Amino acid sequence: MVSALLVMAGIAVVLGALLGFASIRFKVKGDPLVDKIDAILPQTQCGQCGFPGCKPYAQAIAKGEAEINQCPPGGEEGIRKLADLLGKEFKPLSAEHGVEKPKQVAVIDEALCIGCTLCTQACPVDAIVGAAKQMHTIVAPLCTGCELCVPPCPVDCIAMVPVPETVETWKWKYPVVPIKLKEPA
Amino acid sequence: MLAALFKFRGGVKPASHKDESTRAPIARAPLPARLVVPLRQSAGGTPLPLVAAGQKVLKGERIGAPEGNFSAAIHAPTSGTVLAVESRTLPHPSGLSAPCVVIAPDGEERWIERTPVNYAAESPDALRDLLRDSGIVGLGGATFPSHLKLKPGAAGRIGTLIVNGAECEPWITCDDLLMRERAEGIVRGIAILRHIASADRVLIGIEDNKPQAIAAMRAATAQATGVEVVPVPTRYPAGGEKQLIRVLTGIEIPYGRIGPEFGVQCFNVGTAWSAHRAVELGEPLVSRIVTLTGNVERPGNFEVPIGTPIDDLLALVAPRADTDRFIMGGPMMGFTLPRTDLPVTKATNCILAASPALFPPTGPEMPCIRCGACTRACPAELQPHELYWFSRAKNFGKAQEYNIFDCIECGCCAYVCPSNIRLVDYYRFAKTSMRALEREKTASDAARQRFEFRNFRTEREQKEKAERLAAKTAAARQAIAGGEKPAAAPTPAATEQTPALPQLDETKKALIAAAIERARAQKEGVQPKNTDNLAPEKLAEIREIEARRAKVREIAKTPPEEPV
């Protein structure tokens, strides 16, 4: 009786020690859910969701503090992916956070630019090159189209232009089968 | 002696329709009134335009510089005047436009200075550069720059050179006629490619439905050693690069790997012929052979300057009245042209006039019954019906698992499908969508990284600024305290709080006074800059302004009580 108790207690101690070791040794740093959500978000860093960047929004979603339909650049497809990941119902994009637009990039009218550097400070991804009292320009491949540089510009020289489709980026359309109504004989 | 042949799996045997366009020899297409030369005619980047509107160009003059090492140069197809460098619609399934050089020919066909090169005396590197600068790309249709295919690199040595004269796609005969009429030039071109690759042997694969081409090539290679003309069984797609390599050598090249890793490389006969023109005659690639066939009165092959509008070519062969569309390429892999005023490019091997009689419209698409006919026909040994399901459901991950990128889009599966499913359209949709997703992912990863680095940098800058400021304040305090009360300044505030307060005020006042003094000194010390190289009058003007400034400063200094 006593030996049985001792054996069971011994097993419990050994297993407990193993579990304790495993919880320290194999501890997952950071929140894997946040990273998964962050991977779905478009990384525009526009702040339209009400959070300062995509990562904070991902953290808020993971904590349940934000809805999944607050990201206009991610659009409907992004919401669907988030709903799939989190096992939530799909919701249409919330209107107060903005509307889905085609991908665009900012373009600076270089003749008008006065070199105030305000846009450089606003750009979340360092895609604007320029120095004080020098002309600024946007590195188009790095621009995420977040529009954050547009309001600070004192001379309104920044315009958002949609990215045109080129032969390289063109996609074949989803095959659509025309259905013809059969004429009654 | 016949080499033992291997086999590829699958394939189909459509009616070949080659006789229509092989009755007449290759004719020269007349110069059109306008040539529209697209700058992007090969895989890789878009060459930069080297000419401007109004400039005169000679035949063979370079008008597009290869961007980096990944594209080939573009040349003026004839002498004339550049009318514009502008965006024009390309002969591409998208119907999108891209930069083109528009040339008005002067009809004189004046060449640039042509310098023939003795290839045997040149190094492979120099010859590769020459091919790139002569705009030589694969003329089988894929237009991959030839100089890149000849790079040995880390991949290994090209022991066997495969020359592709199979031309398996129905209706197309441009390679057939080229081999019949210009076998000598092709063989000379092969010798150049062989020299660059330092290949031991050359296998020329020709489908056995072209006996005249085989005979001509055999006659031309009779003297050459290590060169063999191999008739291959006629079966579409025997002319696919991977299929031909498999048939001739038994080597199977997996997706994502290249021929040189297995000691083989494949070139089209047209490419060999244009390499011969470029190296031994100094003539860059400015024209190609185009088959005009199908529902036309006078089908045939034409040597066409690149950039000739397809409309002008169609006028030569007179399409019949019931023609409803034109296909660029063959019936299996080609695409319907959105319009016919588009230019001929290096990729245009055939223009096929289609009519409902020649190509009866397939019936309505019906559900897949999983009969497996497509799997038996697939030369890439894929399971087309599975790929169809996944592409249709936009389940791209699964499609990739079933190796959709191994698909060569040959169209065999759609050809045999009893349910008339346009299978290749689904694969093309899936492949281009996956590539777009991949691009988006790369871009968003870069954006995330840049955003995080920016946050890190901002934080670091703020911290550094705060530290600097704290250090400066401490130093200033110490200096003032040191001047008046050397021992008092470092006294910990906790020990004597009440007596420390007035003393702190004292230091603060001293600090403020010091700051005001500094600011004043700075203001007065401002000196005009960049005055070294100015004219004396300007300098005098500056002196005058400075004097006025000094006067104003004097006035400002006098106490304002005076007028009151």
Side-chain angles (χ1 to χ4, degrees):
Chain A
M1 168 71 181
V2 177
S3 64
L5 276 176
L6 281 176
V7 167
M8 293 312 280
I11 291 174
V13 166
V14 170
L15 289 179
L18 260 177
L19 279 174
F21 172 74
S23 76
I24 295 163
R25 177 73 179 74
F26 302 110
K27 189 176 168 113
V28 178
K29 282 199 189 97
D31 191 345
L33 185 60
V34 172
D35 286 342
K36 273 187 202 158
I37 298 170
D38 197 36
I40 292 173
L41 296 177
Q43 304 303 320
T44 316
Q45 319 292 0
C46 59
Q48 288 183 78
C49 52
F51 295 89
C54 295
K55 191 79 173 262
Y57 178 43
Q59 283 160 347
I61 294 179
K63 278 191 212 147
E65 289 166 1
E67 289 292 344
I68 56 170
N69 61 348
Q70 302 181 358
C71 177
E76 206 184 291
E77 213 187 316
I79 300 172
R80 273 188 206 288
K81 280 186 190 161
L82 285 174
D84 268 358
L85 175 71
L86 302 166
K88 288 189 177 172
E89 263 320 286
F90 168 81
K91 286 177 196 164
L93 183 66
S94 103
E96 62 172 303
H97 291 101
V99 284
E100 191 175 348
K101 289 180 201 164
K103 169 108 174 76
Q104 17 176 33
V105 288
V107 173
I108 292 182
D109 185 339
E110 289 163 1
L112 290 183
C113 175
I114 53 168
C116 69
T117 76
L118 289 178
C119 57
T120 340
Q121 292 162 35
C123 180
V125 290
D126 287 337
I128 306 182
V129 186
K133 294 184 189 166
Q134 308 290 325
M135 179 196 79
H136 285 49
T137 196
I138 286 171
V139 186
L142 300 178
C143 176
T144 63
C146 68
E147 302 186 16
L148 288 180
C149 53
V150 178
C153 181
V155 288
D156 280 340
C157 71
I158 306 179
M160 300 303 297
V161 291
V163 181
E165 197 171 36
T166 65
V167 175
E168 288 97 75
T169 59
W170 175 77
K171 288 190 284 188
W172 284 85
K173 301 290 168 287
Y174 188 78
V176 179
V177 184
I179 300 171
K180 219 160 102 189
L181 225 127
K182 206 172 174 186
E183 299 276 324
Chain B
M1 190 196 74
L2 245 169
L5 282 185
F6 300 85
K7 260 186 170 172
F8 68 91
R9 263 205 41 167
V12 291
K13 271 197 163 181
S16 68
H17 289 287
K18 302 263 188 190
D19 293 339
E20 286 89 336
S21 51
T22 51
R23 288 183 198 125
I26 299 173
R28 250 184 179 304
L31 264 182
R34 291 279 178 279
L35 286 165
V36 180
V37 187
L39 282 168
R40 186 192 155 86
Q41 291 195 45
S42 65
T46 304
L48 301 165
L50 292 175
V51 289
Q55 196 174 328
K56 291 249 183 291
V57 287
L58 294 175
K59 186 174 183 175
E61 189 172 326
R62 216 170 349 147
I63 54 175
E67 193 194 11
N69 206 19
F70 286 99
S71 58
I74 301 291
H75 302 81
T78 185
S79 58
T81 316
V82 176
L83 289 182
V85 180
E86 61 185 18
S87 230
R88 290 280 186 114
T89 311
L90 294 185
H92 187 268
S94 66
L96 288 171
S97 43
C100 297
V101 177
V102 185
I103 297 172
D106 57 11
E108 292 173 27
E109 296 267 24
R110 258 180 303 129
W111 272 96
I112 42 156
E113 202 185 314
R114 288 169 281 180
T115 41
V117 169
N118 175 16
Y119 71 89
E122 294 288 335
S123 73
D125 271 335
L127 287 170
R128 270 199 293 271
D129 287 350
L130 181 62
L131 291 186
R132 181 192 66 205
D133 295 339
S134 304
I136 308 296
V137 297
L139 293 183
T143 61
F144 194 81
S146 300
H147 67 278
L148 293 175
K149 285 179 86 173
L150 282 163
K151 238 188 182 107
R157 207 175 65 90
I158 300 164
T160 307
L161 202 65
I162 310 273
V163 178
N164 190 346
E167 198 163 59
C168 58
E169 180 128 5
W171 292 98
I172 308 178
T173 56
C174 57
D175 291 348
D176 187 2
L177 279 212
L178 188 76
M179 288 187 286
R180 287 189 203 184
E181 296 183 15
R182 303 176 188 179
E184 203 64 43
I186 296 172
V187 173
R188 295 184 80 102
I190 292 171
I192 297 167
L193 297 174
R194 185 184 183 182
H195 171 75
I196 300 175
S198 63
D200 304 321
R201 63 172 185 157
V202 178
L203 298 174
I204 305 169
I206 306 171
E207 269 192 351
D208 56 13
N209 62 356
K210 304 180 194 44
Q212 285 165 291
I214 295 172
M217 288 301 284
R218 284 223 165 110
T221 55
Q223 310 298 321
T225 51
V227 181
E228 200 178 341
V229 177
V230 189
V232 298
T234 302
R235 185 203 236 165
Y236 180 83
E241 190 172 41
K242 286 181 177 178
Q243 281 66 37
L244 188 65
I245 291 175
R246 174 94 179 257
V247 167
L248 292 178
T249 64
I251 295 169
E252 194 176 345
I253 297 170
Y255 172 72
R257 308 277 292 276
I258 50 168
E261 295 180 45
F262 300 87
V264 290
Q265 191 54 286
C266 184
F267 289 95
N268 178 269
V269 284
T271 314
W273 190 73
S274 47
H276 151 68
R277 306 285 296 181
V279 175
E280 293 189 303
L281 300 172
E283 294 179 3
L285 181 53
V286 291
S287 65
R288 69 156 296 147
I289 316 283
V290 180
T291 306
L292 297 165
T293 184
N295 195 34
V296 295
E297 293 293 344
R298 299 182 291 275
N301 281 279
F302 295 85
E303 181 158 10
V304 181
I306 305 290
T308 305
I310 290 166
D311 274 336
D312 288 46
L313 294 181
L314 293 175
L316 299 173
V317 293
R320 296 199 183 105
D322 59 336
T323 304
D324 59 347
R325 64 195 174 109
F326 293 94
I327 300 170
M328 182 171 134
M332 302 292 283
M333 291 186 74
F335 62 91
T336 302
L337 287 165
R339 308 205 307 254
T340 51
D341 58 345
L342 309 174
V344 164
T345 68
K346 292 177 186 177
T348 313
N349 49 5
C350 175
I351 303 291
L352 182 60
S355 68
L358 271 181
F359 299 100
T362 53
E365 192 172 305
M366 290 192 290
C368 170
I369 54 170
R370 285 186 179 265
C371 63
C374 50
T375 307
R376 281 192 296 278
C378 180
E381 299 182 29
L382 301 170
Q383 288 165 280
H385 58 284
E386 297 284 355
L387 295 177
Y388 161 66
W389 292 120
F390 297 133
S391 306
R392 202 185 134 130
K394 301 183 189 172
N395 189 347
F396 299 141
K398 215 59 183 157
Q400 198 161 11
E401 238 174 74
Y402 278 75
N403 301 315
I404 192 165
F405 283 110
D406 276 310
C407 167
I408 56 168
E409 298 174 21
C410 64
C412 289
C413 49
Y415 181 78
V416 299
C417 181
S419 290
N420 303 320
I421 303 172
R422 288 142 63 201
L423 290 156
V424 181
D425 286 359
Y426 284 96
Y427 308 150
R428 283 171 171 166
F429 156 74
K431 282 172 157 183
T432 46
S433 301
M434 282 153 86
R435 292 211 178 96
L437 284 177
E438 194 55 39
R439 271 196 304 274
E440 272 170 33
K441 195 175 173 329
T442 323
S444 78
D445 282 348
R448 180 186 298 119
Q449 210 183 343
R450 294 180 71 79
F451 176 65
E452 279 169 6
F453 178 73
R454 185 176 188 273
N455 284 349
F456 162 74
R457 198 194 59 216
T458 324
E459 254 170 50
R460 189 191 61 197
E461 272 169 7
Q462 268 170 2
K463 213 172 103 196
E464 280 173 359
K465 203 171 169 187
E467 273 169 13
R468 257 203 322 272
L469 209 67
K472 213 167 155 190
T473 327
R477 268 186 198 168
Q478 202 152 22
I480 288 159
E484 288 161 10
K485 288 177 193 167
T491 317
T495 47
E496 289 175 76
Q497 255 185 2
T498 357
L501 263 174
Q503 183 244 330
L504 216 108
D505 274 342
E506 207 58 13
T507 22
K508 219 170 204 168
K509 261 185 210 152
L511 269 176
I512 291 164
I516 291 171
E517 183 57 30
R518 263 207 312 281
R520 202 186 53 78
Q522 211 168 22
K523 218 168 169 181
E524 289 199 348
V526 171
Q527 286 297 318
K529 287 174 199 156
N530 307 331
T531 52
D532 300 340
N533 301 319
L534 287 179
E537 311 91 77
K538 269 267 176 240
L539 281 174
E541 205 178 320
I542 289 169
R543 267 199 299 278
E544 204 177 300
I545 292 167
E546 284 299 318
R548 270 212 303 276
R549 262 200 198 130
K551 212 181 270 170
V552 171
R553 255 183 233 132
E554 283 304 310
I555 294 166
K557 265 183 196 165
T558 49
E561 285 99 337
E562 257 178 79
V564 182

